[in-house]
Amino acid sequence: MDIERLVAMANDIAAFFDAEPDKAVAAEGVRFHISRFWEPRMRRAIIEHEKKGGAGLTPTARTAVTLLTPPG
């Protein structure tokens, strides 16, 4: 799993939701999108990346990733 690609994808999703004035709503939109459309190994990788510092993640993307529930 290429973490740089996952970071770019998360940031692209976050850029879309950043038009939302309420940043908590924006982060929830990103979280929901990732939860719904990313496969479990992708979610695990981005969660692990955030736990290691989350290099490259925008603030909205980083917040969204912290809200993700690790796949079972």
Side-chain angles (χ1 to χ4, degrees):
M1 188 75 10
D2 180 16
I3 196 61
E4 291 175 1
R5 181 68 188 128
L6 294 179
V7 167
M9 289 169 59
N11 287 342
D12 286 348
I13 297 163
F16 173 81
F17 284 99
D18 272 337
E20 170 62 50
D22 185 334
K23 295 309 170 192
V25 172
E28 175 56 26
V30 177
R31 185 212 60 82
F32 179 78
H33 181 93
I34 291 173
S35 293
R36 184 161 184 201
F37 296 108
W38 286 25
E39 63 181 53
R41 68 188 175 111
M42 294 167 70
R43 294 194 312 267
R44 276 189 213 97
I46 199 73
I47 290 168
E48 189 61 33
H49 178 71
E50 193 281 325
K51 287 181 181 178
K52 293 178 181 176
L57 288 169
T58 63
T60 302
R62 181 185 302 267
T63 300
V65 172
T66 65
L67 298 173
L68 286 169
T69 303

mmCIF file of all heavy atoms in Angstrom, residues 52-70:
data_model
loop_
_atom_site.group_PDB
_atom_site.id
_atom_site.type_symbol
_atom_site.label_atom_id
_atom_site.label_comp_id
_atom_site.label_asym_id
_atom_site.label_seq_id
_atom_site.Cartn_x
_atom_site.Cartn_y
_atom_site.Cartn_z
ATOM 1 N N LYS A 52 1.539 7.588 13.446
ATOM 2 C CA LYS A 52 2.987 7.806 13.370
ATOM 3 C C LYS A 52 3.332 9.263 13.045
ATOM 4 O O LYS A 52 4.462 9.561 12.705
ATOM 5 C CB LYS A 52 3.601 6.889 12.320
ATOM 6 C CG LYS A 52 3.544 5.423 12.684
ATOM 7 C CD LYS A 52 4.131 4.570 11.586
ATOM 8 C CE LYS A 52 4.062 3.095 11.942
ATOM 9 N NZ LYS A 52 4.539 2.257 10.833
ATOM 10 N N GLY A 53 2.368 10.137 13.127
ATOM 11 C CA GLY A 53 2.617 11.561 12.879
ATOM 12 C C GLY A 53 1.808 12.151 11.753
ATOM 13 O O GLY A 53 1.623 13.352 11.678
ATOM 14 N N GLY A 54 1.355 11.328 10.822
ATOM 15 C CA GLY A 54 0.476 11.788 9.754
ATOM 16 C C GLY A 54 1.107 12.755 8.766
ATOM 17 O O GLY A 54 0.427 13.655 8.263
ATOM 18 N N ALA A 55 2.373 12.561 8.470
ATOM 19 C CA ALA A 55 3.069 13.469 7.551
ATOM 20 C C ALA A 55 2.288 13.638 6.246
ATOM 21 O O ALA A 55 1.848 12.674 5.634
ATOM 22 C CB ALA A 55 4.468 12.933 7.241
ATOM 23 N N GLY A 56 2.105 14.901 5.857
ATOM 24 C CA GLY A 56 1.462 15.209 4.589
ATOM 25 C C GLY A 56 -0.041 15.384 4.650
ATOM 26 O O GLY A 56 -0.635 15.919 3.714
ATOM 27 N N LEU A 57 -0.687 14.944 5.723
ATOM 28 C CA LEU A 57 -2.141 15.091 5.826
ATOM 29 C C LEU A 57 -2.504 16.537 6.137
ATOM 30 O O LEU A 57 -1.889 17.174 6.998
ATOM 31 C CB LEU A 57 -2.710 14.187 6.919
ATOM 32 C CG LEU A 57 -2.734 12.693 6.641
ATOM 33 C CD1 LEU A 57 -3.071 11.914 7.903
ATOM 34 C CD2 LEU A 57 -3.725 12.371 5.527
ATOM 35 N N THR A 58 -3.516 17.053 5.450
ATOM 36 C CA THR A 58 -4.024 18.384 5.756
ATOM 37 C C THR A 58 -4.784 18.314 7.083
ATOM 38 O O THR A 58 -5.152 17.224 7.541
ATOM 39 C CB THR A 58 -4.967 18.876 4.642
ATOM 40 O OG1 THR A 58 -6.107 18.013 4.585
ATOM 41 C CG2 THR A 58 -4.262 18.940 3.294
ATOM 42 N N PRO A 59 -5.038 19.464 7.716
ATOM 43 C CA PRO A 59 -5.752 19.436 8.998
ATOM 44 C C PRO A 59 -7.104 18.717 8.946
ATOM 45 O O PRO A 59 -7.426 17.921 9.837
ATOM 46 C CB PRO A 59 -5.917 20.918 9.345
ATOM 47 C CG PRO A 59 -4.733 21.571 8.695
ATOM 48 C CD PRO A 59 -4.549 20.805 7.392
ATOM 49 N N THR A 60 -7.877 18.958 7.904
ATOM 50 C CA THR A 60 -9.182 18.297 7.803
ATOM 51 C C THR A 60 -9.021 16.794 7.617
ATOM 52 O O THR A 60 -9.720 16.002 8.250
ATOM 53 C CB THR A 60 -10.016 18.888 6.651
ATOM 54 O OG1 THR A 60 -10.177 20.292 6.871
ATOM 55 C CG2 THR A 60 -11.387 18.231 6.540
ATOM 56 N N ALA A 61 -8.100 16.395 6.776
ATOM 57 C CA ALA A 61 -7.858 14.965 6.549
ATOM 58 C C ALA A 61 -7.362 14.301 7.825
ATOM 59 O O ALA A 61 -7.817 13.213 8.191
ATOM 60 C CB ALA A 61 -6.856 14.761 5.421
ATOM 61 N N ARG A 62 -6.453 14.956 8.531
ATOM 62 C CA ARG A 62 -5.911 14.394 9.771
ATOM 63 C C ARG A 62 -7.026 14.206 10.807
ATOM 64 O O ARG A 62 -7.128 13.165 11.450
ATOM 65 C CB ARG A 62 -4.822 15.298 10.336
ATOM 66 C CG ARG A 62 -4.187 14.766 11.613
ATOM 67 C CD ARG A 62 -3.201 15.756 12.198
ATOM 68 N NE ARG A 62 -2.155 16.097 11.258
ATOM 69 C CZ ARG A 62 -0.982 15.477 11.196
ATOM 70 N NH1 ARG A 62 -0.709 14.491 12.013
ATOM 71 N NH2 ARG A 62 -0.081 15.855 10.318
ATOM 72 N N THR A 63 -7.869 15.222 10.959
ATOM 73 C CA THR A 63 -8.975 15.108 11.908
ATOM 74 C C THR A 63 -9.894 13.964 11.530
ATOM 75 O O THR A 63 -10.312 13.173 12.384
ATOM 76 C CB THR A 63 -9.766 16.438 11.976
ATOM 77 O OG1 THR A 63 -8.883 17.478 12.390
ATOM 78 C CG2 THR A 63 -10.940 16.329 12.941
ATOM 79 N N ALA A 64 -10.207 13.854 10.253
ATOM 80 C CA ALA A 64 -11.082 12.767 9.780
ATOM 81 C C ALA A 64 -10.487 11.406 10.091
ATOM 82 O O ALA A 64 -11.188 10.494 10.543
ATOM 83 C CB ALA A 64 -11.342 12.908 8.288
ATOM 84 N N VAL A 65 -9.197 11.248 9.864
ATOM 85 C CA VAL A 65 -8.548 9.952 10.101
ATOM 86 C C VAL A 65 -8.597 9.600 11.592
ATOM 87 O O VAL A 65 -8.798 8.447 11.949
ATOM 88 C CB VAL A 65 -7.097 9.954 9.562
ATOM 89 C CG1 VAL A 65 -6.353 8.695 9.972
ATOM 90 C CG2 VAL A 65 -7.121 10.066 8.033
ATOM 91 N N THR A 66 -8.465 10.612 12.457
ATOM 92 C CA THR A 66 -8.545 10.324 13.897
ATOM 93 C C THR A 66 -9.939 9.863 14.299
ATOM 94 O O THR A 66 -10.096 9.196 15.325
ATOM 95 C CB THR A 66 -8.131 11.536 14.754
ATOM 96 O OG1 THR A 66 -9.060 12.595 14.562
ATOM 97 C CG2 THR A 66 -6.718 11.987 14.464
ATOM 98 N N LEU A 67 -10.942 10.199 13.499
ATOM 99 C CA LEU A 67 -12.325 9.799 13.785
ATOM 100 C C LEU A 67 -12.665 8.404 13.259
ATOM 101 O O LEU A 67 -13.712 7.855 13.616
ATOM 102 C CB LEU A 67 -13.300 10.811 13.175
ATOM 103 C CG LEU A 67 -13.227 12.244 13.687
ATOM 104 C CD1 LEU A 67 -14.128 13.143 12.854
ATOM 105 C CD2 LEU A 67 -13.584 12.305 15.158
ATOM 106 N N LEU A 68 -11.793 7.849 12.421
ATOM 107 C CA LEU A 68 -12.062 6.539 11.829
ATOM 108 C C LEU A 68 -11.990 5.430 12.884
ATOM 109 O O LEU A 68 -11.152 5.471 13.779
ATOM 110 C CB LEU A 68 -11.054 6.217 10.732
ATOM 111 C CG LEU A 68 -11.211 6.952 9.417
ATOM 112 C CD1 LEU A 68 -9.976 6.714 8.536
ATOM 113 C CD2 LEU A 68 -12.463 6.506 8.692
ATOM 114 N N THR A 69 -12.865 4.472 12.741
ATOM 115 C CA THR A 69 -12.811 3.264 13.553
ATOM 116 C C THR A 69 -12.010 2.234 12.785
ATOM 117 O O THR A 69 -12.318 1.945 11.619
ATOM 118 C CB THR A 69 -14.236 2.716 13.811
ATOM 119 O OG1 THR A 69 -14.996 3.749 14.434
ATOM 120 C CG2 THR A 69 -14.205 1.483 14.672
ATOM 121 N N PRO A 70 -10.968 1.683 13.402
ATOM 122 C CA PRO A 70 -10.172 0.661 12.672
ATOM 123 C C PRO A 70 -11.065 -0.511 12.251
ATOM 124 O O PRO A 70 -11.937 -0.929 13.013
ATOM 125 C CB PRO A 70 -9.144 0.206 13.698
ATOM 126 C CG PRO A 70 -9.067 1.306 14.698
ATOM 127 C CD PRO A 70 -10.444 1.927 14.729
#
